[in-house]
């Protein structure tokens, strides 16, 4: 794994309408680190704040880390079809609210959403214009080695994470892009390049193009 280069934030002007980036990948693949570095590199992209029924941890701030909801409120929002996607993880519920996501995109703010393959499929059904990226290991053996090197999981937990990883990776062909996290610097460049390229599509930059055309001599 190569060392990533120092981060220099880029001043990227927003598109006409924000882009929703869905990034998925199995536990231990390094997805969270890649996302964090991408957002530092491209600060005009924000991180989508999920709703959850779990209690706040020390230092977590409402509306910054999560939207903390009690189970009854969460279920009421599910019943109202208010989520782009939602899931239950270890008896706690998580979800992405549709209204604030759409409001941010309409205002030209792009967002990264970190969810699993099931959530990616749900977002694709509700918001087909979203861009989906899957982060994968170079091999299953490399992923298992990374999980063991962390030293935080017992054998049963590692086996469960590997089984979940296999499920996640089976969905890889449904994504728009794949980032192989073998060398960190290369994976950084790949993810950040995808984000920048999608922000630069001509169909998302019509205002800028029209302004340039108006300035051309007759």
């Amino acid at each position: 794994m190569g060392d990533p280069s120092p981060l220099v934030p880029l001043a990227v002007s927003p598109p006409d309408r924000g882009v929703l980036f869905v990034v998925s990948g199995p536990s231990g693949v390094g997805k969270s680190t890649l996302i964090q570095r991408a957002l530092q590199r491209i600060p005009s992209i924000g991180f989508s704040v999920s709703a959850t029924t779990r209690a706040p941890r020390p230092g977590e701030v409402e509306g910054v880390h999560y939207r903390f909801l009690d189970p009854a409120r969460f279920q009421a929002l599910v019943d109202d079809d208010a989520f782009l996607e939602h899931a239950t993880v270890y008896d706690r519920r998580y979800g992405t609210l549709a209204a604030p996501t759409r409001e941010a995109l309409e205002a030209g703010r792009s967002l990264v959403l970190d969810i699993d393959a099931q959530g990616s499929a749900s977002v694709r059904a509700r918001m087909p214009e979203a861009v989906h990226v899957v982060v994968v290991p170079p091999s299953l053996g490399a992923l298992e080695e990374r999980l063991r090197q962390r030293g935080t999981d017992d054998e049963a937990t590692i086996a469960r994470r590997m089984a979940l990883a296999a499920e996640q990776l089976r969905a890889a062909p449904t994504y728009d892009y794949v980032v192989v996290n073998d060398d960190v610097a290369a994976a950084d460049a790949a993810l950040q390049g995808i984000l920048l390229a999608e922000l630069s599509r001509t169909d998302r930059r019509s205002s800028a193009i029209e302004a340039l055309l108006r300035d051309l001599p007759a």
Side-chain angles (χ1 to χ4, degrees), residues 78-96:
V78 170
D79 294 340
D80 288 341
D81 198 26
F83 288 102
L84 284 177
E85 58 82 31
H86 62 88
T88 300
V89 182
Y90 302 122
D91 299 324
R92 294 163 180 168
R93 305 186 75 178
Y94 297 83
T96 305

Side-chain angles (χ1 to χ4, degrees), residues 166-182:
E167 292 181 17
Q168 294 285 308
L169 294 173
R170 286 190 185 97
T174 67
Y175 285 75
D176 301 307
Y177 297 95
V178 60
V179 172
V180 180
N181 192 8
D182 188 4

Side-chain angles (χ1 to χ4, degrees), residues 3-216:
D3 292 328
S5 58
L7 293 173
V8 178
L10 300 174
V12 180
S13 59
D16 298 334
R17 187 179 189 277
V19 183
L20 180 61
F21 295 99
V22 176
V23 183
S24 306
S27 176
V29 80
K31 167 175 51 74
S32 297
T33 299
L34 291 175
I35 291 173
Q36 182 182 37
R37 289 177 59 80
L39 298 185
Q40 292 175 25
R41 180 73 161 156
I42 314 171
S44 61
I45 301 178
F47 190 76
S48 177
V49 179
S50 298
T52 182
T53 59
R54 75 162 174 78
R57 293 170 182 160
E60 289 185 331
V61 178
E62 164 67 27
V64 175
H65 298 93
Y66 284 97
R67 304 175 194 274
F68 296 100
L69 306 175
D70 62 64
R73 176 58 178 156
F74 194 102
Q75 183 59 49
L77 289 168
V78 170
D79 294 340
D80 288 341
D81 198 26
F83 288 102
L84 284 177
E85 58 82 31
H86 62 88
T88 300
V89 182
Y90 302 122
D91 299 324
R92 294 163 180 168
R93 305 186 75 178
Y94 297 83
T96 305
L97 288 165
T101 301
R102 294 186 188 281
E103 289 168 5
L105 299 179
E106 290 293 342
R109 299 194 301 273
S110 297
L111 299 172
V112 168
L113 179 55
D114 178 358
I115 53 177
D116 64 11
Q118 181 180 351
S120 170
S122 296
V123 172
R124 186 178 292 108
R126 296 287 300 272
M127 193 176 288
E129 69 272 22
V131 177
H132 298 255
V133 183
V134 62
V135 181
V136 303
S139 68
L140 283 177
L143 179 63
E144 184 172 358
E145 182 180 353
R146 290 179 193 177
L147 290 173
R148 293 186 183 282
Q149 288 177 346
R150 294 197 308 192
T152 57
D153 299 327
D154 57 24
E155 287 298 318
T157 301
I158 290 174
R160 185 172 65 250
R161 291 190 186 281
M162 289 302 297
L164 289 172
E167 292 181 17
Q168 294 285 308
L169 294 173
R170 286 190 185 97
T174 67
Y175 285 75
D176 301 307
Y177 297 95
V178 60
V179 172
V180 180
N181 192 8
D182 188 4
D183 177 87
V184 176
D188 262 349
L191 180 58
Q192 292 166 28
I194 290 165
L195 303 184
L196 289 169
E198 287 291 338
L199 291 176
S200 302
R201 288 174 57 100
T202 53
D203 57 353
R204 295 187 173 119
R205 295 287 182 170
S206 58
S207 296
I209 293 172
E210 289 169 3
L212 287 172
L213 293 177
R214 285 195 299 269
D215 287 342
L216 292 178

